[in-house]
Amino acid sequence: ERLPRTSLAALRVGVPRGAIFENTDTVVAEGFERALEALQRAGAHVAEFAIDDLLAAMRDATAAGPIAAVEAAAVHAEWLHARAADFDPRVHSRIARGATVSAPDYIRSLRRRNELVAVMDTRLADIDVLAMPTVAVVPPRIDALDDDDAYGRTNMLVLRNTMVGNLFDLTGVTLPIPGTPLPVGLMLLARNGLDRRVLAIAGAVE
């Protein structure tokens, strides 16, 4: 079944400048801005769109431990300690942290997350898509990540932007931005359930 044709004329694009754009590589930032300019030339309405308050609230909601780590600890419970040597040490430490989160804290995190998902859904009713770099950094060299601290910083920058879709239960797609010396992606996020709409927009953007 073919997706409906979509025009970029009058498409409402929100750009959540702020926390999402901190520590973004120059190559990524420049590629992203070129992509926005191309959207505007095609008739899209591009404007800043505030979500920093929701990002901060979600950080507070999951302060006891990342929800993914808690759930991973449950999935891997039978072998998390018995077969610890079979895990990558950096992955194991993150999952093990999830095992220390109490059930009441986990339930409170889920309840607060559900509230914030609803707030984000209401806010996104004013636009068609959020646009941001898919990943804040270009692919790093493996030998640059030998140090655990450097690995941790880079890992968070790699995950940070896409986590917005995960935590707020959004639908999204990423497209390669042409003309960059290393791979850079343009991510478009929209309200839950609008998968076909986002794919149609992505086709028009491409």
Side-chain angles (χ1 to χ4, degrees):
E1 184 180 353
R2 290 183 176 275
L3 291 169
R5 287 186 174 274
T6 298
S7 170
L8 297 185
L11 185 76
R12 300 167 300 172
V13 179
V15 182
R17 298 192 188 277
I20 286 296
F21 285 80
E22 292 176 359
N23 301 310
T24 296
D25 279 354
T26 300
V27 170
V28 175
E30 291 176 350
F32 178 75
E33 296 304 329
R34 287 198 306 272
L36 289 186
E37 290 169 4
L39 294 181
Q40 290 176 306
R41 288 195 301 270
H45 298 308
V46 178
E48 294 192 17
F49 193 85
I51 63 169
D52 273 7
D53 58 325
L54 297 183
L55 296 178
M58 188 66 80
R59 283 195 298 272
D60 290 343
T62 58
I67 292 172
V70 178
E71 295 178 351
V75 170
H76 294 274
E78 292 183 17
W79 48 83
L80 186 60
H81 299 296
R83 298 182 57 183
D86 293 335
F87 288 79
D88 179 290
R90 289 165 169 170
V91 175
H92 184 273
S93 66
R94 290 161 62 189
I95 297 176
R97 180 190 172 195
T100 67
V101 176
S102 69
D105 282 341
Y106 172 63
I107 291 170
R108 280 192 290 268
S109 290
L110 291 183
R111 287 176 176 168
R112 180 58 177 148
R113 173 185 178 249
N114 288 339
E115 294 171 357
L116 294 171
V117 164
V119 175
M120 178 70 87
D121 182 71
T122 298
R123 190 172 299 184
L124 291 180
D126 295 332
I127 62 170
D128 295 301
V129 288
L130 281 175
M132 64 186 78
T134 307
V135 179
V137 296
V138 294
R141 289 175 55 91
I142 292 175
D143 59 11
L145 305 178
D146 288 341
D147 177 75
D148 284 344
D149 289 339
Y151 170 83
R153 289 191 299 272
T154 303
N155 185 62
M156 286 308 301
L157 285 173
V158 168
L159 297 174
R160 180 189 66 193
N161 294 10
T162 55
M163 283 173 59
V164 175
N166 296 337
L167 289 169
F168 289 95
D169 205 13
L170 307 176
T171 188
V173 65
T174 183
L175 294 167
I177 297 175
T180 58
L182 287 170
V184 174
L186 169 67
M187 183 165 61
L188 304 174
L189 296 174
R191 301 168 77 186
N192 181 283
L194 297 183
D195 301 56
R196 290 178 60 80
R197 170 69 172 152
V198 169
L199 287 173
I201 291 171
V205 171
E206 187 178 38

